[in-house]
Amino acid sequence: MMDIPEMIAVFICLTCLSNVMQVNAQEPMVVLAQGPVKGIQVFSDSRQIINAFLGIPYAAAPIGELRFAPPERHPGWNRTMFSAGRFAPACPQLQESSSMAQVRQEEDCLYLNIWTPETPPNFRRGLPIVILLEGEGFVSGLVSRFPGQDLAAEGVIVVSVSYRLNVFGFFCLEDSEARGNLGLLDQYFALLWVRENIEQFGGDPRSITLMGHSAGAASVMYHITSPRTAGLFHRAIVMSGSVTSPWSRAQHPGNSSRGIARSLGCFATTSRAILSCLRTKSTAEILRAFETQYKNGNWTAMVLPVVDTFLPETEQYLPRDPKEVLQTGNYITMPLLTGTTSHEGAVTLYQWSDLVRQSYLQLRHFFEHSAIPGVMEHYGFGKTEQIREILKWRYPEKAGENSASALLLKLLEFYSDSQFVAPHVRQLELLSHSTEPLFVYKFQQSGPDLYGNTLNISGSAHGSEFLYLFGPTLMMKLSNRRFTPDEERFSKRMKRHWADFIKQGNPNGAGFGLAWQRAKPDNYNCWVLMSELQQQGQPPRCDVGQNAADMWNDLLPRLQQLVDTKSPPEISTTDSRLGSDSSQPFRSAMYTLIGFVAVLLVMLVVCLVLLKRHAKERDRDLF
């Protein structure tokens, strides 16, 4: 029997131990080679406890001599406890929205975030991991927008990665001093970090899915086709972005980078001297120089990823054009889930937020003299008049709808087709020959706009799927409201599809009823993601946009090739009455005639393609 003092002492010890256990429960901790890390606990919308570790550095700060240099290992913090309780600053970028004005930005931005379900002590099997890469056009990105606890509650570990953007991430002078692709190398470094450390968070490094959206999706495809990433991830999710997109790769990296350097007063002739000069400039000065280039709308002069064959073979990250790699199949294939939303082009229109206030004539002028020439240049069509006329014919307003709102919808369709749909279909054509499973979706569920735009465009805009994949927490954060019952059911179903793919490389889990079929070269088996179809139990089928893709990927390039290779014969005649060469009128007439005939031929081909496709769809429906 214990006496009273002993009982009091035991009670005090038990109370202290209980308090310590409560503190430990609220502050999860892991020990890494860099040093110990203390996280926080958050709750998913379903009230499940999730351990969150926010703002862990995965590489040394890219400042000083490391500015415009490849990432290096972080030196660590030894025995000091690193507090990972809040998001790190965003990488420097243009403040294109009011929400970005409230976000702290610093060049010391190479951090990642981890959400992992709290598991019982006897849990020994590692959890599958999904690594998120996001960003728009390799120009901007804000990974702290996406809280990962609701997706982690599905039994996966969620990792999100911040990487260098715009001129800080892709300045390139096409040599070893200024090699470019620094943003991609940041992502690669994060993949290495996850492989080395994720077991400490309860993850299985042999079960990693790389998921990207927009520029992050193109990044995923770059990593798939790079020879350096073998074994770093095992499945891929590619959302609303393609490595075949005209905005995903620099056309003249050296010229655009030197242009930025010259605008900052860095006129040196050697790359080393140029970089030394740039390192003396402030973050704000560099961003202003980039903004001037970006706002000019000259997409071909952007700093973007490059094929780095100019480097020694041992240093190359992208030694071959990714399209060629996909074409030959010379890459490590893996299960892949990919798709687009119904109104992707909205994100391009956000660059011109004042369009909603423009008159019909102003919009028409913008469409014909800015939008069409800009996209033509990005596709390498130059100023070919025949292609310009075809695009004006392909994207007209409906009869009697010559209004600003109707033309705005045509602009939306134009940008969706050219920047997202056609590249997506081209990438599908290349991926569908893989022996690994490929699953295709079209997201058509409407919801609040992720980017808070003022264009008032209904439907599934660029990024809409994030609301349901990271909701309901993201919906509350973005719109300050909860899901409706219909939205909540749809979100749960979508998260289960994604979680099943992350776990097993197949989105068909138990209890779904309908089977999501694999894509084939002759039938992509596109699956519609929309709550109405889910509720009705209909086999969801969708068009990936093949008609638009046929025009952008096949017809227009062939016409450009025809224009480039065929020159009209000169008809030279000398009229004694004029005393000069009178061939010019005949030559001009012949140019006009050839252009008109070419347009008619292409229009005929387009009509035949459409009729053939409709016939196929009708036959398929009959059986």
Side-chain angles (χ1 to χ4, degrees):
M1 293 286 295
M2 290 187 294
D3 55 19
I4 297 299
E6 289 177 336
M7 292 177 66
I8 293 174
V10 170
F11 176 76
I12 292 173
C13 289
L14 290 174
T15 302
C16 291
L17 180 61
S18 175
N19 290 337
V20 170
M21 292 176 65
Q22 289 179 10
V23 170
N24 288 339
Q26 295 170 0
E27 297 180 339
M29 189 186 77
V30 297
V31 178
L32 307 176
Q34 292 168 274
V37 180
K38 180 178 65 177
I40 59 173
Q41 285 198 329
V42 296
F43 288 92
S44 70
D45 188 74
S46 60
R47 307 307 298 167
Q48 182 174 339
I49 297 175
I50 304 295
N51 294 332
F53 300 85
L54 309 178
I56 302 176
Y58 65 85
I63 57 178
E65 289 301 310
L66 292 183
R67 181 196 259 185
F68 302 116
E72 294 187 2
R73 279 188 174 273
H74 193 279
W77 43 89
N78 297 322
R79 296 184 179 87
T80 306
M81 180 70 71
F82 184 87
S83 179
R86 64 172 185 167
F87 289 106
C91 290
Q93 57 196 278
L94 304 180
Q95 296 183 359
E96 297 186 274
S97 65
S98 57
S99 61
M100 278 303 302
Q102 310 300 322
V103 176
R104 190 162 55 107
Q105 299 183 23
E106 293 181 10
E107 288 190 59
D108 179 7
C109 62
L110 301 186
Y111 294 82
L112 51 76
N113 314 288
I114 301 173
W115 292 265
T116 177
E118 188 178 57
T119 54
N122 61 351
F123 189 85
R124 292 291 180 265
R125 181 173 55 84
L127 292 172
I129 303 107
V130 58
I131 302 175
L132 170 65
L133 305 175
E134 57 91 45
E136 300 303 328
F138 298 100
V139 170
S140 60
L142 186 59
V143 75
S144 61
R145 281 181 296 191
F146 306 110
Q149 56 262 38
D150 289 343
L151 182 57
E154 298 293 325
V156 301
I157 293 178
V158 178
V159 181
S160 62
V161 177
S162 181
Y163 59 96
R164 282 175 284 181
L165 302 159
N166 50 72
V167 65
F168 294 96
F170 297 95
F171 185 87
C172 177
L173 298 177
E174 300 181 77
D175 58 29
S176 296
E177 293 289 340
R179 58 171 295 159
N181 290 339
L182 300 180
L184 294 180
L185 293 175
D186 292 343
Q187 298 168 4
Y188 170 68
F189 228 68
L191 292 174
L192 293 174
W193 190 98
V194 170
R195 184 178 66 178
E196 294 174 3
N197 295 283
I198 202 63
E199 282 187 287
Q200 306 303 318
F201 298 88
D204 181 1
R206 298 162 299 181
S207 181
I208 297 176
T209 299
L210 189 57
M211 177 170 72
H213 178 263
S214 197
S219 298
V220 170
M221 295 306 303
Y222 277 123
H223 295 307
I224 285 178
T225 57
S226 171
R228 299 266 294 273
T229 57
L232 293 182
F233 56 98
H234 314 91
R235 289 171 288 279
I237 300 176
V238 181
M239 306 162 62
S240 301
S242 312
V243 78
T244 54
S245 300
W247 48 260
S248 67
R249 177 178 162 189
Q251 296 187 26
H252 309 290
N255 294 343
S256 54
S257 295
R258 283 188 179 86
I260 291 175
R262 284 194 295 267
S263 70
L264 288 164
C266 299
F267 296 102
T269 56
T270 67
S271 296
R272 179 170 297 186
I274 290 173
L275 291 180
S276 295
C277 176
L278 289 175
R279 289 178 180 129
T280 67
K281 307 300 179 181
S282 69
T283 304
E285 287 176 308
I286 294 174
L287 278 179
R288 280 196 297 270
F290 172 72
E291 182 177 24
T292 300
Q293 181 195 71
Y294 180 65
K295 294 297 184 181
N296 282 341
N298 185 2
W299 290 351
T300 61
M302 294 295 287
V303 282
L304 294 166
V306 298
V307 175
D308 51 17
T309 50
F310 50 81
L311 294 173
E313 186 174 349
T314 56
E315 298 179 20
Q316 295 172 4
Y317 193 77
L318 298 174
R320 293 184 60 193
D321 186 329
K323 293 188 287 293
E324 294 179 6
V325 176
L326 295 175
Q327 184 88 45
T328 60
N330 188 23
Y331 63 99
I332 298 177
T333 58
M334 61 187 65
L336 198 144
L337 172 66
T338 185
T340 59
T341 68
S342 58
H343 293 85
E344 296 282 13
V347 72
T348 309
L349 290 179
Y350 300 163
Q351 298 177 38
W352 300 283
S353 56
D354 60 337
L355 285 178
V356 72
R357 296 185 293 272
Q358 302 295 310
S359 68
Y360 171 80
L361 291 178
Q362 289 173 316
L363 279 176
R364 170 56 62 184
H365 185 272
F366 171 81
F367 183 44
E368 294 184 4
H369 299 281
S370 181
I372 288 179
V375 171
M376 285 177 59
E377 185 177 7
H378 224 175
Y379 268 83
F381 297 149
K383 298 180 180 180
T384 304
E385 187 62 29
Q386 294 91 330
I387 291 180
R388 181 190 181 98
E389 291 301 317
I390 289 173
L391 292 175
K392 289 165 62 177
W393 166 81
R394 174 63 176 79
Y395 297 96
E397 309 99 298
K398 293 181 180 178
E401 289 189 359
N402 56 340
S403 65
S405 59
L407 186 52
L408 198 62
L409 291 177
K410 283 301 168 184
L411 268 169
L412 173 63
E413 182 184 1
F414 172 75
Y415 281 126
S416 295
D417 289 350
S418 61
Q419 304 301 298
F420 294 95
V421 174
H424 173 63
V425 174
R426 177 62 181 141
Q427 188 165 273
L428 282 180
E429 292 171 353
L430 298 171
L431 291 170
S432 62
H433 294 280
S434 168
T435 56
E436 293 286 352
L438 171 67
F439 300 93
V440 183
Y441 70 86
K442 187 69 168 280
F443 190 87
Q444 297 183 184
Q445 178 76 7
S446 61
D449 194 287
L450 182 66
Y451 301 92
N453 81 92
T454 57
L455 294 177
N456 196 27
I457 295 173
S458 60
S460 302
H462 186 71
S464 296
E465 63 268 63
F466 272 134
L467 292 169
Y468 301 92
L469 187 59
F470 290 97
T473 301
L474 180 58
M475 178 68 83
M476 180 63 71
K477 179 180 178 180
L478 182 68
S479 301
N480 198 29
R481 73 168 178 86
R482 293 194 59 80
F483 277 148
T484 65
D486 180 37
E487 290 172 335
E488 186 168 4
R489 284 190 296 269
F490 176 73
S491 175
K492 287 181 178 179
R493 187 180 184 100
M494 181 175 175
K495 282 184 290 189
R496 280 193 58 194
H497 280 307
W498 258 242
D500 284 333
F501 183 85
I502 293 165
K503 294 173 183 177
Q504 63 190 23
N506 190 322
N508 293 301
F512 280 123
L514 298 173
W516 191 338
Q517 297 180 358
R518 294 172 52 168
K520 302 175 182 177
D522 58 342
N523 186 356
Y524 296 135
N525 289 311
C526 179
W527 182 295
V528 173
L529 291 174
M530 186 177 182
S531 62
E532 294 177 6
L533 294 178
Q534 309 288 340
Q535 288 180 359
Q536 296 171 9
Q538 298 175 354
R541 296 171 55 188
C542 64
D543 175 20
V544 295
Q546 190 71 55
N547 290 339
D550 286 343
M551 183 187 74
W552 284 100
N553 295 338
D554 297 321
L555 297 180
L556 296 185
R558 290 183 182 181
L559 176 57
Q560 182 64 44
Q561 200 172 34
L562 179 68
V563 171
D564 289 342
T565 57
K566 291 206 172 184
S567 300
E570 284 196 11
I571 303 176
S572 180
T573 59
T574 302
D575 192 325
S576 58
R577 292 170 298 176
L578 297 176
S580 62
D581 183 1
S582 59
S583 65
Q584 185 60 39
F586 295 99
R587 189 180 299 116
S588 299
M590 182 165 291
Y591 281 138
T592 302
L593 180 61
I594 289 176
F596 182 69
V597 171
V599 170
L600 289 179
L601 286 174
V602 172
M603 291 173 64
L604 177 62
V605 173
V606 170
C607 292
L608 291 174
V609 170
L610 293 175
L611 289 172
K612 184 177 180 181
R613 188 161 303 282
H614 287 316
K616 284 185 177 179
E617 292 177 354
R618 185 174 63 252
D619 293 341
R620 186 172 59 192
D621 292 339
L622 290 175
F623 295 98

